[in-house]
């Protein structure tokens, strides 16, 4: 990554964040994230592929259901929304460079305001995208993924691909078409579909089967169009069980897999797993990663966390090294994220109104992931858990266990074996011993 910082400094008091090691007192230094440090011949930056989410970091104003904006940024001042969008983009690339994130992500409507028609919106988007492209070139920051915002505008209040009105479906299709084109223009390595308002509030007014068919049709069209224009990025589905709708169709990874397989789309999609979406679905982050990995569909991560005491998507920066170490073990075991990365789909609290709060938040998130990465590597190198798990299943490695796995035996053969061997002897699963072992890795 080149290190050139855009000339007009929006963060004049902040120097590029440096790695100073675990002992540093400097709150604006990395203690664990050392982008240039090599692991298996690959830099930490290339292993982790951190990305900044434009919507939170550059459009987040601190709104919540009970109150308006608390956060006001100097680059947002100005009358012409397109000029503001261009200036904001300068600030964003200065931030990406100073925080030393190699990637960014955006929704079409985060980066450019809507015009009075779709054609005008597309034109405005083109102007901002051209600016983003030149900033990508001068800074070396790359696009992890692009997506279309199919949930904020009132036209999408009843869904986009699942809207009961075919006119809205057509509008959404046109918006995805354009978003794909600009993602390609910016060299995006992936394209994300988060379900937005693709779900329902009441079955009294909903034809679920038709909505699912329509959602699949939208995804199929995206796949077809990507082929037509030669977009080679990976498509990703980002599951979320609820919010904004009461029930979202892409509830979790397992329901996403079933959906994709039902409609013959499984070869074209992987999953973008978000920590707080996993927990809203009643799963752990690691569970969702393991389900995706089991299907060879682990794509990317939206890095954040919820709050145990709050039942909604709080999108906080995650500093829970234990949770992240477990997630990282599963990710590394699966062979990493490929074209994916760790995108901070996380926002500062509405009371964190200073500009440097943006830096503190990302430093903490990046450091926690970096530390988890190192701990996970140690855990996997030592292989103690894997050894235990392998031993636990070893009865399937040979003999009739292997015959079960290979489909060579059925009920009759197994009945004979059960008669002959008698009652199986229970074996301890050793959970507490393993939890203590994990604690040693986390503490150490
Ligand atoms: C919403 C969410 C989105 C997606 C992109 O909860 O996570 O920001 O990541 O549309
Ligand atoms: Co997300």
């Amino acid at each position: 990554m080149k290190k050139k910082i855009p000339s007009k400094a929006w963060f004049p008091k902040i120097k590029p964040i440096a790695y100073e090691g675990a002992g540093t007192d400097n709150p604006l230094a990395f203690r664990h994230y050392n982008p240039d440090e090599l692991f298996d011949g690959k830099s930490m930056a290339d292993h982790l592929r951190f990305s900044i989410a434009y919507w939170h970091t550059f459009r987040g104003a601190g709104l919540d259901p009970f109150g308006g904006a608390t956060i006001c940024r100097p680059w947002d001042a100005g009358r012409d929304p397109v000029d503001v969008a261009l200036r904001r983009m300068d600030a964003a690339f200065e931030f990406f460079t100073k925080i030393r994130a190699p990637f960014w992500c955006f929704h079409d409507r985060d980066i450019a305001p809507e015009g009075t028609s779709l054609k005008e919106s597309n034109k405005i988007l083109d102007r901002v995208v051209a600016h983003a492209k030149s900033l990508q070139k001068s800074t070396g920051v790359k696009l992890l993924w692009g997506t279309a915002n199919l949930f904020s505008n009132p036209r999408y209040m009843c869904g986009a691909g699942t809207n009961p009105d075919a006119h809205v479906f057509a509008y959404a299709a046109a918006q995805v078409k354009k978003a794909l084109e600009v993602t390609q223009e910016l060299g995006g390595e992936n394209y994300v579909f988060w379900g937005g308002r693709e779900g329902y509030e009441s079955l009294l007014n909903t034809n679920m089967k038709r909505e699912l068919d329509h959602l699949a049709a939208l995804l199929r069209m995206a796949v077809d169009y990507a082929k037509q224009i030669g977009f080679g990025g990976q498509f990703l589905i980002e599951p979320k069980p609820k919010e904004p709708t009461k029930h979202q169709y892409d509830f979790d990874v397992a329901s996403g897999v079933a959906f994709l397989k039902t409609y013959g789309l499984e070869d074209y999609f992987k999953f973008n797993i978000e920590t707080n979406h996993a927990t809203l679905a009643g799963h752990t982050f690691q569970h969702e990663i393991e389900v995706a990995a089991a299907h060879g569909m682990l794509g990317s991560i939206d890095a954040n966390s919820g709050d145990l005491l709050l039942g909604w998507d709080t999108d906080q920066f995650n500093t829970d090294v234990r949770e992240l170490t477990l997630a990282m073990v599963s990710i590394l075991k699966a062979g990493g994220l490929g074209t994916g990365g760790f995108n901070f789909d996380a926002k500062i609290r509405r009371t964190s109104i200073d500009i440097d709060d943006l830096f503190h938040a990302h430093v903490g998130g990046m450091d926690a992931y970096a530390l988890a990465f190192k701990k996970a590597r140690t855990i996997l190198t030592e292989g103690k858990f894997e050894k235990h798990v392998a031993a636990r299943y070893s009865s399937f490695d040979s003999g009739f266990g292997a015959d079960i796995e290979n489909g060579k035996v059925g009920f009759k053969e197994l009945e004979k074996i059960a008669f002959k061997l008698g009652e199986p002897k229970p074996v301890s699963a050793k959970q507490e011993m393993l939890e203590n072992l994990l604690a040693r890795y986390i503490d150490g």
Side-chain angles (χ1 to χ4, degrees), residues 368-388:
Y369 263 95
L371 182 57
F373 168 72
K374 291 192 225 174
K375 287 187 183 291
R377 282 177 58 90
T378 307
I379 288 173
L380 290 171
T381 309
E382 293 186 4
K384 290 183 181 163
F385 295 101
E386 283 187 294
K387 224 165 129 193
H388 180 84

Side-chain angles (χ1 to χ4, degrees), residues 82 108-109 111-129 153 155 171 174-175 178-179 182:
V82 181
D108 49 2
R109 302 303 179 237
I111 61 170
E114 285 204 64
T116 51
S117 68
L118 184 58
K119 274 194 184 153
E120 200 198 337
S121 299
N122 287 352
K123 263 197 187 156
I124 299 171
L125 186 57
D126 282 337
R127 268 189 74 189
V128 182
V129 164
N153 191 290
R155 81 175 72 87
Y171 203 104
Q175 203 180 315
K178 182 70 184 171
V182 302

